[in-house]
Amino acid sequence: MNNYFVIGNPVDHSLSPLIHNYWFKKYKINGTYEKRKLETNDLKGFTEEIRDNKNFKGSNVTVPFKNSIIPFLDELSNVAEETFSVNTIVKENKKLIGHNTDATAFEKTLEENGPWLALKTLIIGAGGVTPSIVWAIRSSNSNKIYITNRTKEKATELVKRLSPGLIGNGVEVLDWGEIPDASLIVNTTSLGLKQNDDLQLDFKKYRNKKDCLFYDLIYNPKETIFLSNAKKRGNYIKNGKMMFLLQAKQAFKLWTNVDPEIDEEILKIVD
Ligand code: ATR
């Protein structure tokens, strides 16, 4: 039996076990996938345990460990290195390799909507997932990225860590509340997870703008206030459901070499 995990804190809410266990069954793969709630002090021990466990084949990593897990891994994929973020660990010959399928999943969802969307992008937030979004937008030939974060210094620090390739034609940090013209506006903050959570940013200049997409990485609730306001203004909207499913699909393929289908059953699990 092959063992897989998702590590995080909190991790109770994670839907990843339902998805991966469904795929193991569907594709007749002898695997189990479990949640493990860890503290930061446990990361070293966890990586030692899985390196030596012959049944262990892989793990997902979720908030808040996507960055802090890195020192305990043996190698990183290019994307993980550029985004200093790992959401998937693959064991190859006792080596733990860190990958980032959040970034490649977000990129894929952009392709589905048309890369023109990312010509000018506003990213709201400067947390752990933000470098993955910058990476994906850069891969879609974006010419300008703006970042606005409640704590501006955090955004400035984040931009300093980005490689020249990701900076590209410029990543500009704006004051909190400064809203530029963009065709893609992405909420990467955690604000929206709770009912009545509202960023309180003023997007009235986007009224009736049909050529821009408001994208929230949150998928539960399905429609945050950020998205419902955008819909009322007449903008396109998208939540994080497809990105979440695609990161899982890509992780599953890395572990098993099987490219699983996002079928009706999976869509129901995440609904
Ligand atoms: P991480 O993703 O690294 O775990 P986080 O603490 O979950 O970080 O925060 C993610 C983002 O949500 C940050 O950009 C945070 O802004 P700050 O850097 O100013 O803390 C943003 N965020 C959280 N609550 C917010 C709020 N009430 N208003 C605006 N932004 C908020």
Side-chain angles (χ1 to χ4, degrees):
M1 179 69 84
N2 295 329
N3 301 144
Y4 300 83
F5 301 101
V6 53
I7 59 166
N9 193 346
V11 75
D12 264 357
H13 64 284
S14 174
L15 295 174
S16 296
L18 291 174
I19 293 174
H20 290 289
N21 285 322
Y22 170 78
W23 280 332
F24 285 140
K25 203 161 158 211
K26 176 169 174 176
Y27 296 103
K28 302 191 168 50
I29 293 169
N30 199 10
T32 61
Y33 185 110
E34 293 161 43
K35 299 172 197 174
R36 279 257 196 123
K37 184 176 168 197
L38 299 184
E39 304 296 330
T40 305
N41 286 344
D42 300 329
L43 293 178
K44 186 166 187 277
F46 174 74
T47 48
E48 282 165 1
E49 176 197 328
I50 58 178
R51 208 179 262 110
D52 291 337
N53 177 348
K54 68 175 175 23
N55 293 329
F56 172 83
K57 293 289 183 290
S59 181
N60 280 134
V61 182
T62 188
V63 177
F65 302 132
K66 290 182 182 184
N67 176 259
S68 47
I69 192 72
I70 289 178
F72 306 108
L73 303 178
D74 301 301
E75 280 175 32
L76 295 181
S77 71
N78 288 341
V79 186
E81 186 145 356
E82 286 194 305
T83 56
F84 23 96
S85 179
V86 165
N87 79 322
T88 303
I89 302 172
V90 181
K91 189 159 86 175
E92 284 173 22
N93 306 321
K94 280 201 156 192
K95 273 194 176 166
L96 302 179
I97 323 279
H99 294 260
N100 179 353
T101 68
D102 289 328
T104 45
F106 186 82
E107 180 194 13
K108 184 99 186 135
T109 68
L110 283 186
E111 279 168 18
E112 284 164 3
N113 283 275
W116 58 270
L117 270 173
L119 282 179
K120 273 191 184 174
T121 303
L122 169 65
I123 300 176
I124 304 164
V129 74
T130 303
S132 300
I133 303 307
V134 173
W135 182 93
I137 289 163
R138 273 289 166 247
S139 306
S140 309
N141 293 323
S142 168
N143 59 18
K144 185 78 190 178
I145 297 176
Y146 302 99
I147 301 184
T148 184
N149 191 49
R150 178 180 60 175
T151 315
K152 188 177 179 186
E153 307 82 71
K154 213 168 135 189
T156 309
E157 285 308 308
L158 186 148
V159 171
K160 274 193 204 152
R161 290 186 70 188
L162 296 174
S163 65
L166 288 195
I167 296 285
N169 293 337
V171 176
E172 192 177 332
V173 176
L174 303 177
D175 286 337
W176 182 239
E178 191 183 341
I179 305 296
D181 288 325
S183 45
L184 174 64
I185 297 97
V186 190
N187 176 34
T188 70
T189 76
S190 43
L191 213 70
L193 285 171
K194 292 194 225 106
Q195 230 189 350
N196 302 325
D197 264 359
D198 182 12
L199 281 165
Q200 306 207 323
L201 294 172
D202 182 358
F203 287 109
K204 64 173 172 297
K205 74 196 288 192
Y206 283 87
R207 189 162 295 141
N208 295 325
K209 273 195 102 190
K210 302 261 180 287
D211 53 354
C212 69
L213 175 71
F214 280 68
Y215 195 145
D216 202 324
L217 302 192
I218 294 170
Y219 59 90
N220 185 15
K222 279 185 222 169
E223 206 173 284
T224 55
I225 294 177
F226 174 74
L227 292 187
S228 62
N229 285 345
K231 194 156 92 179
K232 281 184 217 148
R233 277 194 306 270
N235 314 130
Y236 288 112
I237 63 169
K238 188 173 179 71
N239 70 19
K241 179 172 166 176
M242 219 10 113
M243 176 185 172
F244 173 67
L245 290 173
L246 287 169
Q247 66 72 32
K249 177 180 162 82
Q250 294 176 7
F252 194 88
K253 175 135 194 273
L254 284 168
W255 295 328
T256 64
N257 238 348
V258 172
D259 189 7
E261 189 193 358
I262 295 175
D263 60 16
E264 287 299 319
E265 195 62 32
I266 287 287
L267 290 171
K268 257 190 257 157
I269 289 173
V270 182
D271 221 17

